[in-house]
């Protein structure tokens, strides 16, 4: 649950939640705590065999990874959800149909027990509509109520301030006026249509707002103080946390109406809350509108916010946060005429933020690699969908391989890839094009047929010893991470040898010196007979050469 103040509080919450769900999980590991940022992790094994790595932080419960290696066929868990869940129940339901069934069965049993022990309920009485529901929507009146509540609170007394507003939640309609509440908390006033901030004529700016607290000599310290108030106020009223994210997006849409100093304070405040895992980067997507990017406002805001985030996080954590929030490429925050690599590099060099240039370069490289893999898969799938006679199949496969080979050469020229890099990507594209059967006994045949059909492409990309070794290592990792193929690794290597993709010297080198640690012992055992045969053949050739 968001808003933890200590590791003990976090552990107690996590352990309690895990114990309450024993009806739907097989086991779980003792949660491990990381203090900066404060979070805990536990590996939860579900009834269907899936192992889910669960994290509890200020954002809530998040699935970091799902290992489906032991999942019973037909009960596969869902893909890793990107969002955080307030309750562990919601997360487990999202990733496991088997857990859903167990939970429903558990609830049904409890209902049966209650029906046997409790008397029949009294008839439901219809209640008259609350006058509150009929009240007009009056954000100004709500603002005045807040000001009146804190009229006698010292502007430096954060504890009393949060206590007063916490108690006021019993009478004030925070749920209805959530947007007004946070507009007041961020800007110090209410945002009128068009983005103009209207301040109270009598009281002025809200004294505990971000635009007030961060306006001093140390904006970061003021923003951290403000962030602490936000976290404390939403700890009791959990629905306010979701409303704050929505309100933040609304507030960011109007940065063209704020002053330069106000935008800087807002960027620092958002950076503080993202660093504390209270807020995701998703609200930043509001800045990608043309009227905010064309004059560089969105870029200036992004730069200031990322500078705060990178004070306490590394570039890998930033990349994960961007991916989870589906923000897209950082170039989308640049003016439309400056979204090229040179402008990106010049901007962040001037801002002394070289790690962002490295991240951008790595992201582009990964995107291009994925595009090539998708292109290969698309070519092969399109060829399969064509309706042809059996007599024409061989010609079609040859034409398809030629098309893939041309695509590979074009990608190598455009991206300056080496052969040993390209062959691994080609392998991924070829295997991704397989329409895997639901019957596990057919996996081996499907894989071997796919390799045999498109081995000419792999052969063209393995004319160098380094490329052969690179492919074999990649196939090892692929089989290790793909449960469908793990036990057929030996047969796959044999097929690659029989189709002249791999040479005997490459296989022997891999077995004796080049195998990766992942699954090494099992894979060496699968290829043991083939390696012995190849070594014997090599010894015979050496003997003949000596004679």
């Amino acid at each position: 649950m968001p808003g933890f103040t200590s590791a003990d509080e976090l552990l107690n919450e996590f352990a309690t939640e895990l114990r309450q769900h024993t009806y739907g999980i097989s086991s779980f590991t003792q949660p491990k705590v990381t203090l900066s940022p404060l979070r805990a992790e536990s590996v939860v094994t579900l009834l269907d065999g899936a192992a889910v790595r669960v994290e509890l932080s200020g954002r809530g419960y998040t699935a970091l990874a799902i290992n489906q290696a032991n999942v019973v066929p037909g009960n596969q868990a869902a893909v890793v959800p990107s969002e955080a869940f307030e309750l562990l129940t919601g997360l487990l339901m999202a990733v496991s149909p088997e857990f859903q069934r167990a939970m429903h069965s558990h609830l049904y049993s409890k209902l049966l027990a209650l029906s046997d022990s409790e008397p029949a309920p009294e008839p439901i009485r219809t209640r008259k509509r609350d006058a509150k529901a009929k009240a007009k929507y009056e954000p100004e009146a709500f603002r005045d109520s807040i000001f009146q509540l804190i009229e006698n609170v010292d502007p430096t007394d954060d504890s009393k301030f949060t206590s007063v507003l916490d108690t006021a939640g019993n009478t004030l309609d925070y749920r209805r006026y959530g947007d007004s509440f946070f507009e007041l908390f961020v800007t110090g006033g209410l945002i009128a249509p068009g983005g103009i901030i209207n301040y109270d004529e009598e009281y002025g700016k809200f004294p505990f707002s971000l635009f007030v607290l961060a306006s001093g000599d140390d904006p970061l310290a003021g923003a951290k103080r403000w962030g602490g108030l936000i976290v404390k106020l939403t700890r009791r009223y959990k629905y306010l946390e979701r409303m704050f994210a929505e309100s933040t997006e609304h507030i960011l849409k109007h940065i063209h109406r704020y002053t330069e100093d106000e935008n800087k304070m807002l960027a620092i405040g958002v950076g503080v809350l993202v660093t504390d895992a209270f807020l995701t980067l998703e609200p930043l997507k509001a800045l990608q509108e043309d009227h905010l990017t064309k004059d560089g406002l969105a870029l200036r805001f992004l730069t200031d916010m990322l500078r705060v985030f990178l004070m306490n996080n590394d570039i890998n954590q930033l990349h994960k946060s961007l991916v989870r929030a589906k923000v897209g490429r950082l170039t989308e925050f640049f003016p439309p005429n400056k979204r090229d690599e040179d402008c990106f590099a010049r901007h962040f060099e001037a801002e002394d933020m070289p790690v962002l240039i490295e991240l951008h370069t790595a992201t582009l490289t990964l995107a291009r690699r994925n595009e090539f893999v998708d292109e290969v898969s698309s070519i092969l799938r399109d060829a399969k969908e064509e309706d042809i006679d059996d007599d024409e199949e061989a010609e079609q496969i040859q034409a398809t391989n030629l098309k893939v080979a041309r695509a590979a050469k074009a990608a190598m020229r455009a991206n300056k890839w080496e052969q040993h890099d390209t062959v691994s990507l080609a392998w991924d594209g070829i295997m991704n094009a397989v329409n895997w059967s639901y019957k596990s006994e057919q996996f081996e045949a499907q894989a071997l047929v796919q390799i045999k059909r498109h081995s000419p492409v792999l052969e063209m990309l393995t004319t160098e010893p380094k490329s052969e070794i690179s492919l074999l290592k990649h196939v090892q990792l692929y089989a290790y991470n793909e449960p469908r193929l793990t036990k057929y690794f030996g047969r796959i290597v044999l097929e690659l040898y029989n189709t002249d993709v791999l040479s005997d010297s490459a296989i022997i080198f891999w077995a004796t010196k080049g195998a990766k640690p992942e699954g090494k012992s099992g894979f060496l055992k699968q290829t043991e007979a083939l390696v012995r045969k190849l070594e014997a053949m090599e010894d015979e050739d050496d003997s003949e050469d000596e004679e």
Side-chain angles (χ1 to χ4, degrees):
M1 305 291 285
F4 295 107
T5 57
S6 67
D8 290 340
E9 184 181 355
L10 181 72
L11 274 175
N12 183 57
E13 169 66 26
F14 208 170
T16 302
E17 279 286 293
L18 289 169
R19 288 194 296 271
Q20 289 177 351
H21 293 81
T22 53
Y23 59 85
I25 60 179
S26 297
S27 61
F28 58 85
T29 61
Q30 181 68 23
K32 295 182 179 179
V33 173
T34 302
L35 296 179
S36 182
L38 184 58
R39 60 189 180 87
E41 286 185 16
S42 173
V43 177
V44 179
T45 303
L46 303 174
L47 297 178
D48 56 12
V52 185
R53 191 155 61 95
V54 179
E55 176 187 272
L56 175 59
S57 66
R59 295 178 56 227
Y61 291 92
T62 310
L64 300 180
I66 300 177
N67 181 5
Q68 297 177 273
N70 300 319
V71 178
V72 178
N75 279 336
Q76 282 83 357
V79 296
V80 179
S82 60
E83 70 273 24
F85 294 82
E86 185 173 336
L87 298 176
L88 181 60
T89 307
L91 173 62
L92 298 180
M93 288 182 67
V95 302
S96 172
E98 186 67 26
F99 178 82
Q100 294 182 30
R101 289 190 286 270
M103 188 191 73
H104 292 156
S105 177
H106 176 70
L107 292 176
Y108 182 70
S109 299
K110 294 185 72 173
L111 287 173
L112 285 179
L114 286 172
S115 63
D116 292 338
S117 59
E118 294 186 359
E122 296 182 2
I124 298 176
R125 297 177 181 177
T126 304
R127 189 172 60 180
K128 293 182 179 181
R129 288 174 59 87
D130 193 342
K132 191 188 219 178
K134 298 179 182 179
K136 293 181 181 180
Y137 181 70
E138 298 177 323
E140 292 81 6
F142 174 81
R143 177 192 60 193
D144 293 344
S145 299
I146 296 291
F147 271 110
Q148 290 168 10
L149 284 169
I150 65 165
E151 191 171 5
N152 297 320
V153 176
D154 188 329
T156 62
D157 193 344
D158 293 350
S159 298
K160 186 174 182 180
F161 168 74
T162 54
S163 176
V164 167
L165 288 193
D166 186 58
T167 305
N170 298 322
T171 55
L172 294 180
D173 195 349
Y174 286 168
R175 189 184 296 274
R176 187 179 190 192
Y177 291 101
D179 287 338
S180 301
F181 185 65
F182 289 121
E183 287 173 11
L184 197 63
F185 236 101
V186 174
T187 68
L190 299 180
I191 300 177
I196 303 298
I197 304 173
N198 289 332
Y199 299 110
D200 188 273
E201 294 181 359
E202 180 181 355
Y203 297 102
K205 288 186 178 181
F206 189 58
F208 291 91
S209 67
L210 173 64
F211 285 4
V212 171
L213 296 181
S215 62
D217 296 335
D218 190 349
L220 180 58
K224 288 182 177 180
R225 177 188 167 193
W226 170 81
L229 296 177
I230 291 288
V231 172
K232 288 179 181 178
L233 286 171
T234 56
R235 183 180 300 163
R236 177 178 177 185
Y237 304 100
K238 297 301 178 183
Y239 59 86
L240 285 178
E241 184 178 353
R242 175 182 55 79
M243 296 183 72
F244 178 76
E246 296 171 353
S247 297
T248 301
E249 185 172 346
H250 170 69
I251 292 169
L252 294 185
K253 288 180 180 179
H254 302 294
I255 63 170
H256 59 299
R257 299 296 188 188
Y258 313 148
T259 66
E260 183 178 344
D261 289 340
E262 287 172 342
N263 279 331
K264 188 175 185 66
M265 288 186 285
L266 182 55
I268 293 173
V270 171
V272 166
L273 292 180
V274 172
T275 299
D276 293 341
F278 178 81
L279 188 67
T280 71
L281 292 174
E282 190 169 355
L284 292 185
K285 290 189 284 189
L287 299 176
Q288 295 173 344
E289 299 290 336
D290 290 343
H291 69 284
L292 300 179
T293 61
K294 66 179 182 179
D295 295 326
L297 283 174
L299 178 58
R300 183 70 263 157
F301 186 97
L302 176 74
T303 304
D304 291 335
M305 192 282 297
L306 292 180
R307 194 185 306 280
V308 175
F309 181 84
L310 291 173
M311 287 179 180
N312 297 291
N313 297 277
D314 59 30
I315 200 66
N316 293 323
Q317 291 169 311
L318 174 60
H319 177 65
K320 290 178 182 178
S321 298
L322 291 169
V323 171
R324 287 175 182 171
K326 300 178 182 178
V327 171
R329 296 182 181 178
L330 295 181
T331 49
E332 294 178 22
F333 294 89
F334 280 66
N337 61 339
K338 295 183 179 180
R339 293 180 179 176
D340 56 81
E341 295 181 42
D342 289 339
C343 288
F344 187 95
R346 284 199 300 270
H347 173 76
F348 286 110
E349 280 177 0
E351 295 291 338
D352 194 23
M353 300 172 75
V355 290
L356 290 176
I357 303 174
E358 296 172 11
L359 172 64
H360 182 63
T361 302
T363 302
L364 283 180
T365 301
L366 180 61
R368 289 166 181 164
R369 291 166 68 89
N370 291 337
E371 286 172 4
F372 174 65
V373 171
D374 292 340
E375 182 183 6
V376 172
S377 298
S378 179
I379 292 172
L380 300 186
R381 290 195 186 100
D382 292 344
K384 286 181 181 180
E385 292 176 359
E386 296 179 11
D387 188 13
I388 59 173
D389 298 332
D390 293 341
D391 296 337
E392 300 175 343
E393 184 177 8
E395 295 180 4
Q396 186 215 43
I397 293 174
Q398 185 177 3
T400 302
N401 287 336
L402 181 59
K403 192 173 182 180
V404 173
R406 288 173 178 167
K409 290 180 179 178
M412 290 173 68
R413 286 194 301 270
N415 300 296
K416 298 180 181 180
W417 291 341
E418 298 293 337
Q419 192 182 84
H420 62 271
D421 294 319
T422 313
V423 68
S424 299
L425 300 176
W427 166 271
D428 288 345
I430 290 171
M431 300 311 293
N432 287 354
V434 178
N435 185 18
W436 296 105
S437 169
Y438 289 106
K439 298 180 180 179
S440 59
E441 60 269 18
Q442 296 181 2
F443 293 161
E444 178 185 11
Q446 285 184 289
L448 297 181
V449 167
Q450 187 78 343
I451 293 170
K452 187 173 183 179
R453 280 181 174 177
H454 305 296
S455 60
V457 175
L458 300 174
E459 185 180 359
M460 179 204 75
L461 295 171
T462 51
T463 58
E464 304 169 357
K466 185 177 181 180
S467 301
E468 292 184 62
I469 298 300
S470 178
L471 174 62
L472 188 46
K473 289 181 178 180
H474 184 73
V475 172
Q476 177 190 346
L477 291 177
Y478 190 92
Y480 177 78
N481 293 312
E482 177 50 78
R484 282 182 287 233
L485 301 180
T486 302
K487 62 181 180 180
Y488 305 122
F489 174 76
R491 294 295 306 276
I492 290 172
V493 174
L494 178 61
E495 186 64 32
L496 291 171
Y497 172 73
N498 290 336
T499 53
D500 297 326
V501 175
L502 296 178
S503 63
D504 51 357
S505 57
I507 296 174
I508 292 172
F509 178 85
W510 171 84
T512 54
K513 300 179 181 179
K516 289 183 170 291
E518 291 83 356
K520 179 178 178 179
S521 60
F523 291 148
L524 287 178
K525 187 173 182 179
Q526 289 186 39
T527 56
E528 184 178 6
L530 174 61
V531 172
R532 280 204 306 265
K533 177 182 176 181
L534 297 178
E535 288 176 333
M537 292 170 58
E538 195 174 65
D539 292 340
E540 290 178 6
D541 292 340
D542 292 341
S543 299
E544 291 177 1
D545 292 340
E546 291 176 1
E547 293 177 1

